[in-house]
Amino acid sequence: MRLKEECRKETVIQKSKFIACAAPCQDEAACRAYIDAIWKEYPDASHVCTAYVCGENNSIQHSSDNKEPSGTAGIPMLEALKYSGISSVCVCVVRYFGGIKLGPGGLIRAYAGAVKGVLEAAKKVEDIPLHQYFITYPYDLSGTLEGWLRRNTEITDMQYSDAVTAVFETERDDIPQIIQDLSHGSVAVKDQGIVYREKEV
């Protein structure tokens, strides 16, 4: 699961303003570029604490307290990231200090909570594996086959010439048997393998 797009969420705790920013980032270079962009956008912030996970199986992990007391910002943010199950993501929490110290426990809750809140608010997607099939059939089967395909699969291409050809995708793996049954054995199904499609979750 990953983020579809950047998301931001602002909270105020004891007069300190926390602006949580999260963005999908495929690699470490993208994460660092995003952090730099946030720094430039909020040059007067008291702190910009960061965490990211990326790479295969989230093997690359990084966090920074950015002058907050050690262990009170970056690590809690990273733990919230890992707990979310979201991959290839970078989060920055911008803090404007409001004059009231939160203490170590308060900072941990504030930073972890900011990350949790922005990730819950963000639109998320995942890649779904689909079987892709190709069939050719005569026009006299259109009523039967086309209607069934439109109701039960995602048609990606339809061509009408001497016969009808259709390319369609579905999570189901029982398609060859169903097409055989619907066409009384007259239509062959070509399995074109697995494709991955993005789906909101």
Side-chain angles (χ1 to χ4, degrees):
M1 184 166 60
R2 63 185 190 279
L3 297 191
K4 183 177 183 179
E5 59 200 14
E6 187 195 27
C7 183
R8 299 190 182 192
K9 192 170 185 348
E10 185 178 310
T11 52
V12 176
I13 301 170
Q14 298 279 56
K15 298 185 179 179
S16 277
K17 184 160 71 171
F18 294 86
I19 306 165
C21 311
C25 294
Q26 285 302 311
D27 53 35
E28 197 160 19
C31 292
R32 292 187 182 282
Y34 182 64
I35 290 168
D36 287 344
I38 295 298
W39 266 109
K40 285 173 183 162
E41 188 176 343
Y42 298 99
D44 58 339
S46 308
H47 306 274
V48 179
C49 301
T50 58
Y52 58 78
V53 293
C54 60
E56 191 172 346
N57 297 319
N58 284 341
S59 56
I60 299 170
Q61 301 181 358
H62 175 81
S63 66
S64 168
D65 293 315
N66 186 228
K67 298 179 184 171
E68 289 283 27
S70 180
T72 62
I75 297 285
M77 288 169 62
L78 183 59
E79 289 302 313
L81 263 190
K82 292 194 287 186
Y83 182 77
S84 74
I86 297 170
S87 59
S88 302
V89 59
C90 179
V91 290
C92 302
V93 178
V94 179
R95 182 188 183 192
Y96 285 93
F97 182 55
I100 300 173
K101 291 189 175 180
L102 301 180
L107 287 172
I108 289 168
R109 285 191 297 275
Y111 280 102
V115 171
K116 187 179 176 194
V118 74
L119 293 180
E120 284 176 353
K123 289 182 179 175
K124 291 166 280 289
V125 294
E126 61 185 354
D127 291 323
I128 304 295
L130 299 174
H131 297 274
Q132 188 178 80
Y133 298 103
F134 175 93
I135 60 173
T136 300
Y137 57 88
Y139 280 95
D140 60 2
L141 283 176
S142 284
T144 302
L145 288 178
E146 191 169 329
W148 189 88
L149 289 175
R150 291 197 184 282
R151 288 191 304 275
N152 295 280
T153 73
E154 187 69 37
I155 298 172
T156 58
D157 189 40
M158 207 89 171
Q159 302 283 338
Y160 302 92
S161 55
D162 296 342
V164 182
T165 58
V167 179
F168 57 95
E169 298 167 358
T170 176
E171 292 183 59
R172 302 173 63 151
D173 57 8
D174 57 353
I175 291 295
Q177 187 58 53
I178 290 172
I179 298 297
Q180 285 280 300
D181 292 346
L182 289 171
S183 68
H184 304 292
S186 66
V187 175
V189 178
K190 184 180 177 187
D191 187 340
Q192 304 204 121
I194 299 292
V195 294
Y196 288 87
R197 301 296 182 206
E198 191 177 274
K199 180 180 176 184
E200 285 198 24
V201 291

